[in-house]
Amino acid sequence: MPTEEIIVRGVVQGVGFRPFVWRLAQRFGIDGEVSNRGDAVVIAASGEQAALEALVHALTAEAPPLAQVDSVSRELAAPFAGHGFAIAASAPGTVSVGVVADIATCPACLAEMRDPAARRHRYAFTNCTDCGPRFSIVEGLPYDRATTTMRGFAMCSDCRAEYDNPADRRFHAQPIACPACGPRLVLDGDDDPILAAAARLRHGRILAIKGIGGFHIACDATNEASVAELRARKCRPSKPLAVMVRDRAMLEALCEASEAEHAALGRPSAPIVLLRMREDAAIAPSVAPRQNRLGVMLPYTPLHHRLMEAMSRPLVMTSGNRSSEPQIFRDADAFSGLAGIVDDFLTHDRPIARRLDDSVVQVAAGRVQVMRRGRGLAPVPRDLPAGFANAPPVLALGGDLKSAVCLTLGGKALLSHHLGDLEEPATQDEFESAIADHAALFAHEPAAIAVDLHPGYRPSRFGAALAAERGLPMIAVQHHHAHIATAMAEHGWPLDAGKVIGIALDGLGLGEDGLIWGAEILLCDYRTSRRLAHIKPIPLAGGDAASREPWRVLLAHLDAALGPEALPADLFEGFPVATLRAMIARGINAPLASSAGRLFDAVAALLGLAPPQLGFEGEAAMALQAAAEAAPDGQPPYSFATEKAGDLLAIDPAPMWRAACADRMAGLAPALIARRFHEGVADVFAGLALSLAGQHGTRTVALSGGVFQNALLLEAVLRRLEGGGVDILVPEQVPANDGGLAFGQAAVAAARLLPG
Ligand code: ZN
Ligand code: ZN
Ligand code: FE
């Protein structure tokens, strides 16, 4: 009998791959052994030639749902002496073994839960090798029952038999459980907590519900009084709330969704997907006031499935926290922190090891774009591009907002889940514990620390202290260089492939000249970045306050573009214009910034689409996008002027402001003005990027920065670039906003540490 050594690479560990190989070996009559080695699965297979061919074919064709086979290599090996087929234990020291993302309930478990004859009928913690909690229950390595929060539940003999049987779909499923031995739901003593919860929700009550990565706050999304009450109690006036729907039919009553969007909803990661809301959506107005999009997810745990079946209505499922604090994931914190917000608690006794917010994605320009990486998407290591295989281990710390950290190890990068905004003290503690948590779980010892160029960011200060304490080099990476490197590294741009043109349209980031940047065209490789063009800076009077109060930015832009005499007086009634101008004239707390994000805010303010004080970051920009999306295609773009200043091009929005103000005076609908503005921004940036690509001898353009989460703008820029015949790199799996920053910082720092 021929014997082969077959090596399978990709996402093949912790996803039920070894028992899958065992089942194939039984089916094809193959002897041998399967084991994890390094980050691969290695099979010693002895059998008829035809059987070996069938095995190799099935490895890819029938791979488990969570596996991703990148390559299968085969080599003849010494004949196999034994009989039968064995699953070898994992060798210790294989860092990636078993730490995978949490997975939505699979169809087999769902069917079992619905089967009145099954042992797990209606059981809210049903899971198997293909589904269930993973990262949210892991406390240490190796990944084993004893190192998860399931260690307190002794398996019953039935579960033990399944767990030990390689032919069973629960073979070595660490969170295996059943009603006899597993976790239990609690709702102040009710015997069917789920039915009781559904009844209370239908009566308008607000519930805390313990999920996979934290507590949600839930209420009936069709009950306006409940939703308004939830907002008032949570101190969340306007930020849209996510909704859970039972199924496709319930979804279609609320939103329009393409097949790509349905597919995104149904992924094993079960993210929140941003969808276009129907005008006649049967939903309480307070769920997403003044929005044209709704964040929707499908049930992803057995508890959710049962609850949604019992409810038959969409549910608000927003993160369980007060205002902007991090989502609560411990029972004790929930009982104290959510006491004034919810009426009842639907909880359970399986502890959550770490907080994981729901992930958020959208489908834009035919691509799934991750906007927040959380539950279901972390921790998934990504291969770094060619040339990075020998990169030393780097710890990159990201930015102040949408914090996430990134580790590089062995040619891979591991971007953490969304940790939150570090302005919140509770998030700061979590940031530090996440660093320790990741170092321990992935056996990571950094050789260098990467941070943002802004020394005042909390991660930069933390990184400086850490580098000093451990005697490590610290590498500061310019904010927008890191954003562009994120797009390059995600799409496998090789280390030595040369330079790309990067369009960074972003909020704020410190530039190399000490000013604030945020609307730039850069010429980058991983090691270096040079600024070629930018929007002319304007003063942000009040510093951070300008980010919350778009009228401040509008005033600065209009003064710069039209001159103070031409200011449309009706726009600023009741605002302290003179004070602001005095601050700007004297340069008091009025740093210069070329931010695209603030430009969008200012245009929203011109059109009356921004409140005097934003209720949440992005509120004005989202309203502007929604308005523009309501306009018919074919709007003429507003023009921007470009001026050469040395080797830099300055993009002057003055002509755009003049045209927009004139259109506004003439009574043109805000939707049309908003659309002409979007088209104008796309025109000037895509046009310049194409001509600069030609001048600098590159044919690749990378797009990044938070403003590219505006799907309308992204599509408008892509259309123009595609017409210009360049290759385009757009962040998809790694967020284009600051949630992806650490990934780009890690790539830049690793490149600078490599010789070359
Ligand atoms: Zn399952
Ligand atoms: Zn059991
Ligand atoms: Fe940014």
Side-chain angles (χ1 to χ4, degrees):
M1 291 279 194
T3 301
E4 291 187 13
E5 183 178 77
I6 302 169
I7 299 180
V8 189
R9 290 180 197 282
V11 182
V12 289
Q13 296 188 350
V15 293
F17 208 86
R18 287 175 304 152
F20 158 68
V21 173
W22 184 91
R23 290 192 292 272
L24 293 179
Q26 309 303 311
R27 192 204 311 170
F28 298 124
I30 287 170
D31 291 341
E33 181 179 84
V34 58
S35 57
N36 282 327
R37 191 193 299 163
D39 61 357
V41 162
V42 179
I43 307 163
S46 172
E48 302 285 354
Q49 197 58 41
L52 293 179
E53 298 305 326
L55 171 73
V56 168
H57 176 77
L59 285 174
T60 309
E62 298 176 29
L66 304 170
Q68 180 199 311
V69 176
D70 293 339
S71 72
V72 178
S73 68
R74 314 167 58 172
E75 240 174 68
L76 279 179
F80 181 74
H83 278 289
F85 195 90
I87 297 179
S90 294
T94 45
V95 289
S96 62
V97 173
V99 187
V100 296
D102 302 283
I103 306 134
T105 307
C106 74
C109 285
L110 208 52
E112 188 176 346
M113 257 177 69
R114 288 174 177 156
D115 174 1
R119 210 154 66 77
R120 293 184 178 85
H121 180 52
R122 293 186 175 160
Y123 184 52
F125 301 90
T126 303
N127 66 76
C128 71
T129 316
D130 294 339
C131 78
R134 292 289 187 279
F135 193 39
S136 62
I137 59 167
V138 173
E139 294 183 309
L141 282 181
Y143 178 55
D144 195 7
R145 178 94 161 184
T147 56
T148 70
T149 61
M150 284 297 294
R151 71 188 133 79
F153 299 91
M155 275 181 233
C156 69
S157 56
D158 290 339
C159 285
R160 171 57 71 184
E162 293 168 335
Y163 182 90
D164 286 336
N165 176 5
D168 193 279
R169 68 189 178 85
R170 293 196 169 90
F171 176 68
H172 285 191
Q174 304 305 346
I176 187 173
C178 77
C181 68
R184 281 161 212 266
L185 287 169
V186 188
L187 179 85
D188 47 45
D190 218 290
D191 358 323
D192 193 334
I194 293 183
L195 293 182
R200 294 181 197 195
L201 288 162
R202 267 199 305 270
H203 283 98
R205 291 173 76 91
I206 298 170
L207 266 67
I209 299 177
K210 187 176 181 180
I212 290 285
F215 279 81
H216 283 117
I217 300 175
C219 75
D220 177 352
T222 64
N223 183 333
E224 174 60 22
S226 293
V227 180
E229 178 66 21
L230 184 157
R231 281 198 179 280
R233 291 187 195 171
K234 205 182 164 197
C235 302
R236 180 159 159 159
S238 53
K239 193 174 180 185
L241 302 168
V243 164
M244 184 175 276
V245 294
R246 188 188 53 206
D247 51 23
R248 187 167 176 147
M250 192 180 278
L251 172 84
E252 284 172 345
L254 301 180
C255 295
E256 288 158 18
S258 65
E259 282 312 311
E261 288 166 334
H262 282 296
L265 283 160
R267 283 186 175 196
S269 50
I272 294 172
V273 183
L274 294 184
L275 298 172
R276 285 285 197 109
M277 219 183 320
R278 298 175 68 99
E279 283 185 10
D280 59 351
I283 193 157
S286 291
V287 173
R290 294 178 299 282
Q291 302 289 323
N292 67 346
R293 282 178 170 74
L294 186 65
V296 183
M297 61 186 149
L298 290 171
Y300 56 80
T301 68
L303 185 166
H304 295 150
H305 280 284
R306 282 206 58 213
L307 183 64
M308 295 309 296
E309 281 160 20
M311 269 298 287
S312 288
R313 282 179 215 172
L315 271 188
V316 164
M317 287 285 257
T318 185
S319 55
N321 53 5
R322 276 176 194 281
S323 188
S324 58
E325 289 174 8
Q327 184 176 19
I328 290 171
F329 68 96
R330 292 188 183 95
D331 286 24
D333 295 342
F335 291 131
S336 59
L338 301 179
I341 300 178
V342 301
D343 300 312
D344 304 289
F345 289 86
L346 175 58
T347 183
H348 58 73
D349 54 357
R350 183 178 70 202
I352 297 172
R354 64 182 62 65
R355 173 170 69 85
L356 288 158
D357 295 87
D358 289 317
S359 293
V360 181
V361 310
Q362 69 175 357
V363 178
R367 317 153 196 249
V368 176
Q369 266 196 314
V370 174
M371 308 175 86
R372 182 168 80 190
R373 273 179 93 261
R375 173 197 49 78
L377 297 178
V380 178
R382 307 190 59 83
D383 284 335
L384 282 166
F388 281 96
N390 297 319
V394 172
L395 168 64
L397 298 177
D400 249 2
L401 301 178
K402 304 181 179 65
S403 167
V405 300
C406 183
L407 322 175
T408 63
L409 63 166
K412 288 182 189 291
L414 192 124
L415 177 62
S416 80
H417 52 286
H418 169 84
L419 300 171
D421 290 343
L422 294 176
E423 284 163 352
E424 281 295 328
T427 313
Q428 290 163 28
D429 297 343
E430 207 154 323
F431 171 78
E432 294 187 21
S433 59
I435 291 170
D437 182 29
H438 279 71
L441 275 181
F442 301 100
H444 189 261
E445 281 258 7
I449 309 291
V451 296
D452 191 88
L453 194 57
H454 197 313
Y457 281 176
R458 289 168 187 86
S460 304
R461 297 204 301 262
F462 180 82
L466 190 68
E469 180 195 309
R470 301 210 194 156
L472 298 176
M474 185 173 85
I475 298 172
V477 182
Q478 200 278 320
H479 191 91
H480 304 102
H481 184 202
H483 272 310
I484 298 300
T486 294
M488 293 160 66
E490 181 184 337
H491 291 287
W493 182 259
L495 177 61
D496 292 316
K499 295 188 192 295
V500 305
I501 292 290
I503 308 179
L505 297 181
D506 199 30
L508 308 171
L510 184 64
E512 277 145 8
D513 58 0
L515 300 184
I516 300 170
W517 296 3
E520 321 298 317
I521 299 184
L522 305 172
L523 181 67
C524 314
D525 54 22
Y526 288 106
R527 294 183 179 96
T528 63
S529 161
R530 189 181 133 205
R531 195 185 193 201
L532 301 178
H534 63 96
I535 285 189
K536 257 184 141 172
I538 49 112
L540 294 181
D544 288 345
S547 292
R548 293 188 298 270
E549 300 179 10
W551 67 272
R552 293 170 182 258
V553 190
L554 176 63
L555 177 69
H557 264 296
L558 291 180
D559 274 356
L562 311 173
E565 311 73 42
L567 195 72
D570 65 311
L571 273 173
F572 294 97
E573 268 165 36
F575 289 105
V577 168
T579 313
L580 213 72
R581 280 179 170 158
M583 284 173 74
I584 291 171
R586 289 193 221 128
I588 300 167
N589 195 18
L592 288 174
S594 66
S595 166
R598 294 304 85 79
L599 179 67
F600 278 68
D601 288 354
V603 174
L606 174 76
L607 301 179
L609 299 170
Q613 175 117 51
L614 298 184
F616 63 98
E617 190 216 351
E619 182 175 17
M622 284 161 72
L624 186 69
Q625 179 190 341
E629 284 171 336
D633 288 344
Q635 297 303 315
Y638 289 141
S639 51
F640 288 70
T642 49
E643 299 161 9
K644 218 164 158 51
D647 5 330
L648 256 183
L649 288 169
I651 301 167
D652 186 352
M656 178 281 292
W657 284 116
R658 285 194 291 271
C661 287
D663 281 348
R664 176 175 170 274
M665 289 304 287
L668 199 73
L672 301 186
I673 299 175
R675 186 61 173 268
R676 291 174 184 185
F677 166 72
H678 276 77
E679 299 293 333
V681 172
D683 245 18
V684 65
F685 276 94
L688 280 178
L690 288 174
S691 75
L692 289 167
Q695 274 173 47
H696 291 276
T698 174
R699 49 182 314 281
T700 302
V701 177
L703 313 179
S704 193
V707 175
F708 277 114
Q709 296 193 327
N710 176 328
L712 181 70
L713 180 75
L714 175 67
E715 285 164 12
V717 171
L718 286 176
R719 217 167 29 244
R720 288 161 171 88
L721 292 176
E722 280 157 6
V726 290
D727 296 327
I728 307 161
L729 312 176
V730 184
E732 292 172 32
Q733 292 303 305
V734 180
N737 62 27
D738 284 8
L741 202 62
F743 180 67
Q745 289 171 350
V748 169
R752 288 186 184 160
L753 291 166
L754 284 165

